[in-house]
């Protein structure tokens, strides 16, 4: 038994909406010991390649604070370079949010989503997607651009550990996973991103199906928490 | 009709094994107009974090030559930075190959896979995986380390264009795809990596299933071509 | 009247000690709307130039999260370079903490102080020093190295705005300051760092003396809050 | 006797014109085991410092693919920096091609020459010049800008090994050369670039003269092969 | 006794004005063995953030030539990065000069101050400020912009070594200083920058006062030398 | 007539040996308005790839100070990158000095040659070679390693301007040169490096011969000045 959780059980989830006063939108998302600060900032203008078409853009950045991990990780700004992992994750977050966006409703504006992991205990990229949606929602609503996001979006990790399919892996589980999978879905239960990776050995089609189901149920719960947090704010 | 191809038809595939004399393994893979030069080099020693455990490592690098794309792309070495896309792709290639590797059979050696795209017409990351396997196989066989790879690995892209599911998208198809998916599987038809992305709108579980089947059939053909190329060499 | 504050009055100050579970020490310091997350991590070993002498080292890093400022600031890791301001500030923080340290008590260990500004409303470098001390204290006490810090250390900004000497400037005040000064002192009221800068015109020796007194009184209050926070934890 | 070659004999030379379909011009040049892929791309516009004068520009980039050398060389894009050798070589290639160009015939366009060494066995910088000319010729002819290049240009290395003057050194010969020299000349037998370097000891004026003659004869042969390749295409 | 100097005695000071012919202003300042070449260049235009307001800007850059220090220091251009120390110092120099500038008199121009240390024997940042003023003065006078600088500016270091307060520390003294302080003042004896740092232990307010007095006397002498050098030129 | 100089006349040449006290060797070389500060530093140890063979190494670095050119040039350390021109030049200087060195006499030491151009008026790379030799000579003699350099080395530029062959071009002449050539020779009149470049149109073998003769005479004069400077010191 994983610290008293059922295999299909999420870690305790909390969303502190408007954690900061200055950004257009912000949320501190806690999922177990994982804590991600997500902010949304809306700037006039779009990247040059998009300009003049009356359409907006959404872009995301991600980082691990140095002390967020058990051992301290070097600060990317000090090394002068983002790691491959960081680059891969922030591309994923941006892509996920763009898939539910109406860029004409946004107009020629850029929505920046900054996801800074204050503490990392597994599942940070999925937590960043779930939090980024809430921050984006707040920022867009505040500026009267709420129609930009047609649906909500949330993500969760699933995986196989010691042969068992588990929902929402923490760091220890993730380190030993045989298969690792991240799934992002809309509030309407449609798929946005599926990434499944054999960490130790190739896997079967049946396993993929089982993991997808586990993820869908977890995302439904997160979507409910997102709705409640946005309404409460 | 896509340039006379059926929706479930691969582009013409050719594998010139031992295209170069100096690297341990090399292959020039052509898939339609996409051409990727894959080389495999085996070096003594492993990265520091792995050293002293009697196990090897596999790592991959990817690049687009500047003139490989229709318009010239800036050279990454001149800009002093690999793009996010490059970083994401080379992480994918390395992960895929590592999933079928027996690192104890490799011993404390590093297998470098360099995938340089000479001409890009869609599907370069999948072509790089398929080619990298052949280059790796040649290099390992030559150095008597053939047991390192337990199975072959190949990859293909699938996607939805104008509502139709298509196998092996070229650049024009890929640019207009609603859903974009890359699948890597072993010669034994087990999954190694699944990446599905909603490019324009979220998609259903059924569509994911259809695309997976289309990919599995395409990969079976590529795996056969790989086997034949390796035997012929 | 500055938002209801007297010229010699600090902004409301709060110290959430052990804000995170994983780092050796952590505190979320709020001073008005300025919020800085300070963590302390102790690693075995020292930089090469110091090694083999049985003495430890303290080093600090500072960053502004992109959305911490009113307008979004570019992420330094994405630009590949820390700004001159960042470099100057983190050198100041490290120097301040080192001035009260007994490096033989620390032994051949490195104490990393990470000061990440979640929200910036003036005075972030001083807040980082005050917070870094508390995080360091917690980390050292936990690992039985409490003797490393002989005294506490805190810092505050003072300045001249519209001819009036003010304590603890917020962002708006700081932007219009004629003279800007940062002072760091120990719990025992001795000076550690004095930096006074003419922002608009050279200033007199008398003004310097007045500002030093204002700072000393403010630091006394912060030192009391630090003591209480450490005892409470 | 060097692998059955006379001292004044070139290695077998082959020029596969239009090796790729997408770039404006491309050639795969093989000279012994040295293989260089040269492409030419013509873009509208010129660098800012030249703009508005009705004149074009030619610029070259060079790289060694990592596995092109016997031992794998680090990828420059991954290191984030081009080596001094790369910088020196690509400046040489650009300068050589510019010396035979009529920039008014080119108009406000930039001709990019990319020379990527797929396999390196000595003489890559000279091979890159010879190949770049053919790629440029093809690209310019295709776009009706053939008058840009008034003459052809080719280059070859010569050197002194064990006291003997040799034409077209391979890697092993080059590594032991006492004097190393690269010469670029036009089809009309005029000099474009002469670079002679004492690798082990200073050399006499007479030796310089002998090497220049050896080079001139070699370049005549390469120029003939270039003419034939261009006509054949 | 420090090499025959009284505690309140400056090292021999020499200012070779117009050391170079090409820059708008230049001076080679020698203070003991410390030698700094300061040049001033006036360019049309200002940084983008300032443009269109009819006001100018002053910015400074500083470097240590590699062989200026006893042991050779790595060249920052070769490492691809300015050190934290360099960044901190050039910010200080720019700030000091800006504090006495009338940017409307300068107009939309940028005054670049380059301070390159040819030989370093302590006090280089202060010497750079004193020299930069003279170079700036020459450049501005030559271009008829003399009203830009309302007053002169000079700087000196003071410190405590073995318990004694000393003026103008050389390298050996600086390395062993308990308190290190840099002071910049105008010709009119007003303060521009005060930076005092506890290098070994916190210090008292009385000590700060003593050091300030010592600095003020030293700066008066330097200001006289500056006046004489400017008049003589 | 070029500012009263004959076509085969050098600009006034001055060598201030031991311009600095701290480096092992230093010289300020003036050739017309071109001024280069060359220093030589000898460090114990060699680069890793050479270590353990009892042989030394010589390496050179070159830079233009920002204000050395007529218009200010950006500082390479601030841009974070050495220009292609800088890289090319410092490779040339190192190669030239190494060609007359006996690395066994040097032992496992590295001789660093730093050539910093204080003022640039053409011919800086050749002046750097001539100056670097003198600095190296001084450093080696001082440390009892004089046998390292078997002969002296000097360099000069020659070129064709308006059809006339000229020795020692200044900046204005160099900018309009049709052919540009740099020659380095030993005190014993043997060649070390020859670089001839067609700047505007290809040139004949006869012209090359004429320029070589002009250079040889100029170098003889510089070699005499070097000898005298070394003896005088």
């Amino acid at each position: 038994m994983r610290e008293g959780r059922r295999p299909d059980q999420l870690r305790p989830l909390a969303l502190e909406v408007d954690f900061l006063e200055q950004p257009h939108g912000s949320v501190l998302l806690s999922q177990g010991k994982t804590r991600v600060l997500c902010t949304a900032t809306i700037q006039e203008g779009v990247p040059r390649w998009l300009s003049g078409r009356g359409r907006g853009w959404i872009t995301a950045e991600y980082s691990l604070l140095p002390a967020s991990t058990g051992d301290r990780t070097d600060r990317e700004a000090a090394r002068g370079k983002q790691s491959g992992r960081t680059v891969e994750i922030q591309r994923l977050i941006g892509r996920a949010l763009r898939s539910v966006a109406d860029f004409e409703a946004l107009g020629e504006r850029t929505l920046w989503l900054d996801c800074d992991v204050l503490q990392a205990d597994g599942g940070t990229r999925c937590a960043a997607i779930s939090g980024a949606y809430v921050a984006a929602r707040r920022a867009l609503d505040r500026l009267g651009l709420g129609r930009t996001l047609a649906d909500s979006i949330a993500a969760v990790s699933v995986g196989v550990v010691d042969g068992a399919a588990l929902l929402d892996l923490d760091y220890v589980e993730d380190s030993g996973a045989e298969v690792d999978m991240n799934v992002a879905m809309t509030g309407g239960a449609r798929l946005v991103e599926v990434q499944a990776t054999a960490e130790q050995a190739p896997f079967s089609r049946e396993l993929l199906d089982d993991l997808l189901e586990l993820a869908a149920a977890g995302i439904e719960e997160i979507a409910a928490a997102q709705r409640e947090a946005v309404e409460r704010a």
Side-chain angles (χ1 to χ4, degrees), chain A:
Chain A
M1 207 60 149
R2 48 200 304 229
E3 298 181 28
R5 269 204 288 158
R6 292 187 317 275
D8 63 347
Q9 193 178 350
L10 286 179
R11 292 178 287 177
L13 178 68
L15 292 154
E16 280 186 67
V17 181
D18 299 341
F19 181 72
L20 301 174
E21 294 93 339
Q22 296 189 161
H24 296 133
S26 66
V27 64
L28 179 64
L29 180 151
S30 306
Q31 196 161 350
K33 277 192 278 191
T34 287
R35 289 221 246 167
V36 186
L37 175 60
C38 300
T39 60
T41 314
I42 295 171
Q43 289 185 332
E44 292 301 311
V46 288
R48 193 175 315 183
W49 54 267
L50 190 60
S51 121
R53 306 198 210 157
R55 296 163 57 79
W57 186 242
I58 297 178
T59 192
E61 290 188 354
Y62 168 96
S63 89
L64 290 176
L65 294 207
S68 66
T69 48
D71 291 327
R72 189 177 179 277
T73 307
D74 284 350
R75 188 176 290 269
E76 294 185 327
R79 275 188 304 159
K81 208 178 152 179
Q82 293 180 307
S83 73
R85 181 183 172 276
T86 289
V87 168
E88 186 179 299
I89 291 176
Q90 62 194 12
R91 284 168 61 86
L92 168 66
I93 302 170
R95 217 158 54 213
L97 270 286
R98 288 194 294 272
S99 76
V100 290
D102 174 346
F103 287 119
E104 291 181 6
L106 180 54
E108 291 218 354
R109 295 182 183 87
T110 299
L111 170 57
W112 287 89
L113 298 168
D114 287 290
C115 302
D116 288 274
V117 178
L118 307 189
Q119 191 162 262
D121 186 32
T124 63
R125 78 185 69 190
C126 290
I129 291 173
S130 303
Y133 164 73
V134 175
R137 176 92 271 158
R138 284 298 287 166
L140 291 163
D141 285 350
R142 251 186 212 156
L143 277 72
L145 297 163
R147 286 191 319 108
T148 298
L149 292 179
D151 201 346
S152 72
I153 183 164
V156 80
S157 78
V158 284
V160 176
V161 181
D162 295 334
L166 299 183
L167 176 68
D168 192 17
L169 283 59
D170 65 23
Y171 178 74
V172 171
E173 292 167 342
D174 187 64
S175 305
E178 292 133 38
V179 178
D180 185 21
M181 187 168 175
N182 296 291
V183 181
M185 295 177 78
T186 63
R190 291 175 74 84
L191 290 159
V192 157
E193 185 95 23
V194 174
Q195 293 197 346
T197 298
E199 294 288 347
Q200 293 174 14
F203 56 95
S204 69
R205 178 62 200 280
E206 291 67 42
L207 180 61
L208 183 76
D209 290 344
D210 291 352
L211 290 173
L212 274 166
E213 256 169 72
L214 204 52
I219 287 175
E220 203 172 322
E221 269 188 73
I222 300 174
Q226 288 174 320
R227 259 193 310 277
E228 193 205 354
V230 169
E231 279 160 19
R232 202 177 49 219

